[in-house]
Each structure stands twice: as structure tokens, then as C-alpha cells.
């Protein structure tokens, strides 16, 4: 019985049964050799069974099926983009039912939720980077081969976006540092840990990460020439209000390096006290009081000290949402086919860590 498939025996070949046993066949088609989409021009295909005198001609339908399958496999093996799905949501199920068999994996969700487009949205950029960072720290071995490919394709797009737009390079530097540390441990411990894929592929990926790190290290910020109103022209109270809107201490320090005026405002004790009170409970920072030389509490040092012991609150412009009624994970803008009478009451924002926890079984 002839078969057409890709497996370990002989990928993509057609076999026919003869009196001497199974023999491999070769297909010759002008359309396949040219690599063009001219399937309609195929009239017949000659199959050679190993004996030049014995030739068998298959019908057009078989040839078209073989050509379509070969082109599909060629596209699958050579594409460097994320898998495309029409729906940008995924049903999260943790057990088999009559309607659905198996369960949803982290790799499936990562493939389905269109993170390639999400990183182009400034509201979702930090969210996706944080999610990739959490996966790099603990869930990298949970990804399937296709999900790994998508992961590194998205990472490549993020690096290119940062290089072109110079947007938040510190965030991607932290991601690459965590990812390279994880890969070094996994590669050194190959055989002891589950690492999907050939070891040489992972070594190449690690080399690519090191190259990205060097590129980001050499990144030079372009100075924009603007004859209009600049940040330094704003009144002090407006600059102070801007600093109070920041939720990350490193962003405050970075902005304080722009001008002497901003540096003075960024060193305000009250600013750092508000930041500590926002991220940490009173019991937490009361255990780590750090007095300054004048006897006052050094709230700036306290903030960075508390970061080592407790997680800080995370803020994102947009996040994934989970519908408790439908058990569907989706981006709020794209929506999902909800059957609830009032869908808004069933929605729950999903943090990056919560996203990871949804797929831990």
C-alpha cells in the first residue's frame, strides 16, 4: 500500500509494493522543479521504481496532491514568521471533555495570541517583554518546537524594534540576560534536563543572544533636534508631576540624568517615599528602615533594598483578559465569542505571571 508522508524512514518519498518488496519512487514534475504555483499545468508524473523498464503513470489528482503537500511542507520548514491564526483567542481547558480532547499548553497559547503584532503596540510592548522574561526564567523547556521558533522570532522583532526606535532598551537587556543565563545552564546540563531540539540549534541561539547583547550595548541614542518646546522649558511643578507618575525607580533615575533641574527633583525624599508606599506594604518597609547621615529615612535606598525581597506592582497599558464564563484567553481589543448576557462582568485582566500559572498543571 503506497503512502506519502514525512517520517524517520525516508521523509517525503512515495513507496510502491513490487514482487521483490517495497521500493522507493521518485516523482518528476516540471512544476515542482520550478517551484512555481502552476499545479494546473501538471498533466502526468512518471514514477521510476528502480527498474528503468518499469514505469507507471499516476493520474493528475495524485500528482496535484503530492505537489501541494511538498509545497506546504516547504513553506512550513522555511517560514520565519509566527504561525497565523484567524482567531486571536484561545480556549483554556485543563482536562479532556466530550467536546475537547487533551488540554491547552503554554506553547499553544503562545502561538495563538499574536504576540508578533502585540509588540508593535506601545501599550502591550512591556507586557509581552515581561511575559517572555518569565518564560525564559522557568518555562522555556515547556515550549514545543513550533512555540520555541515563534518565541525567538518574536524576540528578534523586539530587538530590531529597540534598535530602530530606541524604545526601552533596559527592559530588553534584562530579558536577554535572563535568557542567556538560562540557556547556559540548560546547555551545560544537557541530558539532565528536557531540552526540545538539537543541542547545536540551542548553541546557535545562544550565540545570537550574545550578538544581540553586544548590539544593545553599543546602541547610541540619537539626539533629536527640535526648535520647539522641550521638557526643560516646562515649569517645575509640571516636571514634578511627571516624576510622580513614574512607577519604576530606574525610570526616575534615568530622567534625572537629563538636566540638573530634573536631577534635583528626582532626589526628592517625598517622591521616593510615595514610590515605596505604592509598591510595598507598611509592614514590609518598616522592617528595612535605612537611616541617612542626617538621621532621616533614606527612601531611595529603601526602594531598591525592598525590591530584592518583595515583588513590585506592575503597570501595563494593556493586558490579556480571561473570561470566567467562557474560559477564553484573549486581547480585549480583539474580543471573543462570549455567550454571557453581560460579558464585561466576566472579564478578568491577566498579569504575565498569571498567564504562566494558567498553564501549570
Amino acid at each position: 500500500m503506497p503512502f506519502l508522508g514525512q517520517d524517520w524512514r525516508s521523509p517525503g518519498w512515495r513507496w510502491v509494493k513490487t514482487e521483490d518488496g517495497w521500493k522507493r519512487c521518485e516523482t518528476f514534475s516540471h512544476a515542482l522543479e520550478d517551484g512555481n504555483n502552476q499545479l494546473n499545468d501538471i498533466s502526468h508524473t512518471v514514477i521510476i521504481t528502480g527498474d528503468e523498464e518499469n514505469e507507471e503513470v499516476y493520474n493528475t489528482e495524485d500528482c496535484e496532491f503530492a505537489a501541494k503537500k511538498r509545497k506546504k511542507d516547504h513553506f512550513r520548514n522555511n517560514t520565519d514568521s509566527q504561525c497565523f491564526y484567524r482567531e486571536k483567542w484561545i480556549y483554556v481547558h485543563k482536562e479532556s471533555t466530550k467536546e475537547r480532547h487533551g488540554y491547552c499548553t503554554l506553547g499553544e497559547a503562545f502561538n495563538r495570541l499574536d504576540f508578533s503584532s502585540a509588540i508593535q503596540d506601545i501599550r502591550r510592548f512591556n507586557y509581552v517583554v515581561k511575559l517572555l522574561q518569565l518564560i525564559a526564567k522557568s518555562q522555556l523547556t515547556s515550549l514545543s518546537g513550533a512555540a520555541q521558533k515563534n518565541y525567538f522570532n518574536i524576540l528578534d522583532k523586539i530587538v530590531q524594534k529597540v534598535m530602530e526606535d530606541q524604545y526601552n532598551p533596559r527592559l530588553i537587556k534584562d530579558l536577554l540576560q535572563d535568557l542567556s543565563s538560562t540557556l547556559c545552564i540548560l546547555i551545560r546540563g544537557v541530558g539532565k534536563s528536557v531540552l526540545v531540539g538539537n543541542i547545536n540549534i540551542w548553541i546557535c541561539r545562544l550565540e545570537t543572544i550574545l550578538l544581540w547583547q553586544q548590539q544593545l550595548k553599543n546602541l547610541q541614542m540619537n539626539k533629536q533636534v527640535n526648535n520647539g518646546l522641550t521638557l526643560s522649558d516646562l515649569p517645575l511643578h509640571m516636571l514634578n508631576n511627571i516624576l510622580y507618575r513614574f512607577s519604576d525607580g530606574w525610570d526616575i533615575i534615568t530622567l534625572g540624568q537629563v538636566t540638573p533641574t530634573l536631577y534635583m527633583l528626582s532626589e526628592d525624599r517625598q517622591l521616593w517615599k510615595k514610590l515605596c508606599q505604592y509598591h510595598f506594604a507598611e509592614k514590609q518597609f518598616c522592617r528595612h528602615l535605612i537611616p541617612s547621615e542626617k538621621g532621616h529615612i533614606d527612601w531611595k535606598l529603601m526602594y531598591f533594598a525592598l525590591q530584592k525581597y518583595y515583588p513590585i506592582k506592575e503597570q501595563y497599558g494593556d493586558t490579556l483578559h480571561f473570561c470566567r464564563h467562557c474560559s477564553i484567553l484573549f486581547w480585549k481589543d480583539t474580543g471573543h465569542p462570549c455567550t454571557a448576557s453581560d460579558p464585561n462582568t466576566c472579564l478578568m485582566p491577566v498579569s504575565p505571571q498569571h498567564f504562566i500559572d494558567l498553564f501549570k498543571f
Side-chain angles (χ1 to χ4, degrees):
M1 179 178 179
F3 65 91
L4 181 65
Q6 287 193 349
D7 58 10
W8 59 269
R9 288 166 288 190
S10 188
W13 291 99
R14 184 189 294 270
W15 294 72
V16 294
K17 190 174 184 179
T18 65
E19 295 180 356
D20 299 328
W22 289 94
K23 291 189 178 182
R24 192 174 67 185
C25 308
E26 289 191 52
T27 59
F28 292 91
S29 171
H30 296 293
L32 290 177
E33 290 176 0
D34 296 337
N36 298 325
N37 299 324
Q38 299 176 353
L39 292 177
N40 295 330
D41 296 336
I42 303 176
S43 59
H44 67 276
T45 301
V46 178
I47 308 297
I48 301 179
T49 63
D51 186 353
E52 296 182 358
E53 297 180 357
N54 297 327
E55 295 182 353
E56 183 179 354
V57 179
Y58 285 79
N59 57 32
T60 305
E61 184 178 354
D62 290 338
C63 299
E64 291 182 359
F65 176 80
K68 288 180 180 179
K69 187 179 188 306
R70 285 181 180 274
K71 291 200 308 185
K72 181 179 179 181
D73 292 339
H74 177 77
F75 174 79
R76 182 185 302 159
N77 293 332
N78 290 280
T79 182
D80 58 352
S81 60
Q82 186 185 21
C83 297
F84 175 78
Y85 293 92
R86 181 173 298 177
E87 298 86 3
K88 306 303 180 185
W89 51 265
I90 187 169
Y91 178 79
V92 181
H93 52 108
K94 297 187 176 183
E95 58 184 10
S96 297
T97 64
K98 293 182 179 179
E99 294 80 12
R100 296 178 182 270
H101 296 283
Y103 54 89
C104 179
T105 64
L106 176 63
E108 289 178 283
F110 191 81
N111 289 346
R112 288 287 296 273
L113 292 171
D114 193 24
F115 290 113
S116 290
S117 300
I119 61 174
Q120 304 302 326
D121 190 333
I122 193 172
R123 300 171 303 162
R124 300 173 180 173
F125 181 86
N126 291 0
Y127 182 90
V128 176
V129 172
K130 181 63 176 179
L131 179 58
L132 265 63
Q133 188 174 15
L134 291 176
I135 293 176
K137 287 181 177 180
S138 60
Q139 301 296 319
L140 195 61
T141 55
S142 301
L143 299 180
S144 64
Q148 288 175 10
K149 186 176 181 180
N150 282 340
Y151 181 95
F152 284 94
N153 286 335
I154 294 170
L155 188 58
D156 181 33
K157 293 179 180 179
I158 291 176
V159 173
Q160 298 308 318
K161 179 178 176 61
V162 173
M163 295 295 294
E164 294 173 3
D165 301 342
Q166 301 176 348
Y167 177 75
N168 209 341
R170 179 175 57 83
L171 196 63
I172 188 62
K173 287 180 182 179
D174 293 341
L175 166 59
L176 293 178
Q177 181 60 41
D178 291 336
L179 184 56
S180 62
S181 300
T182 301
L183 285 185
C184 287
I185 295 173
L186 291 175
I187 291 174
R188 285 198 302 265
V190 64
K192 300 178 182 179
S193 60
V194 180
L195 193 61
V196 178
N198 188 284
I199 185 64
N200 294 324
I201 294 177
W202 286 101
I203 292 176
C204 291
R205 287 171 175 171
L206 180 58
E207 292 175 351
T208 302
I209 292 170
L210 296 177
L211 177 62
W212 287 338
Q213 288 179 313
Q214 188 62 38
Q215 290 175 347
L216 291 172
K217 184 178 180 180
N218 299 331
L219 179 64
Q220 298 292 331
M221 295 295 181
N222 297 328
K223 293 184 179 180
Q224 297 182 356
V225 179
N226 190 350
N227 297 326
L229 187 67
T230 64
L231 188 65
S232 303
D233 297 326
L234 297 176
L236 287 179
H237 72 277
M238 294 186 67
L239 294 175
N240 201 40
N241 286 336
I242 291 174
L243 285 169
Y244 271 84
R245 295 292 189 275
F246 282 48
S247 61
D248 192 321
W250 285 110
D251 291 336
I252 295 176
I253 291 177
T254 302
L255 185 60
Q257 296 173 349
V258 176
T259 64
T261 301
L262 287 170
Y263 175 77
M264 176 193 67
L265 294 175
S266 67
E267 293 294 316
D268 182 25
R269 290 180 60 252
Q270 191 65 22
L271 171 65
W272 289 97
K273 180 180 179 180
K274 290 289 186 182
L275 195 62
C276 288
Q277 291 175 339
Y278 172 76
H279 286 290
F280 311 107
E282 185 175 355
K283 293 181 180 180
Q284 292 174 339
F285 61 76
C286 284
R287 297 174 186 172
H288 303 273
L289 293 178
I290 302 177
S292 63
E293 296 178 356
K294 298 181 180 180
H296 302 294
I297 299 175
D298 194 329
W299 293 102
K300 181 178 178 180
L301 289 179
M302 273 194 60
Y303 170 80
F304 291 103
L306 291 170
Q307 262 193 327
K308 300 178 181 178
Y309 300 100
Y310 310 105
I312 63 174
K313 292 182 180 179
E314 298 175 354
Q315 284 187 335
Y316 302 103
D318 191 16
T319 67
L320 288 169
H321 282 69
F322 181 75
C323 179
R324 292 187 293 266
H325 178 79
C326 306
S327 296
I328 287 179
L329 191 64
F330 65 102
W331 292 105
K332 193 173 182 179
D333 289 350
T334 59
H336 74 288
C338 188
T339 58
S341 56
D342 189 2
N344 291 330
T345 60
C346 306
L347 302 186
M348 176 179 66
V350 178
S351 67
Q353 184 59 55
H354 187 195
F355 178 91
I356 301 294
D357 295 338
L358 280 175
F359 302 98
K360 289 182 178 179
F361 305 112

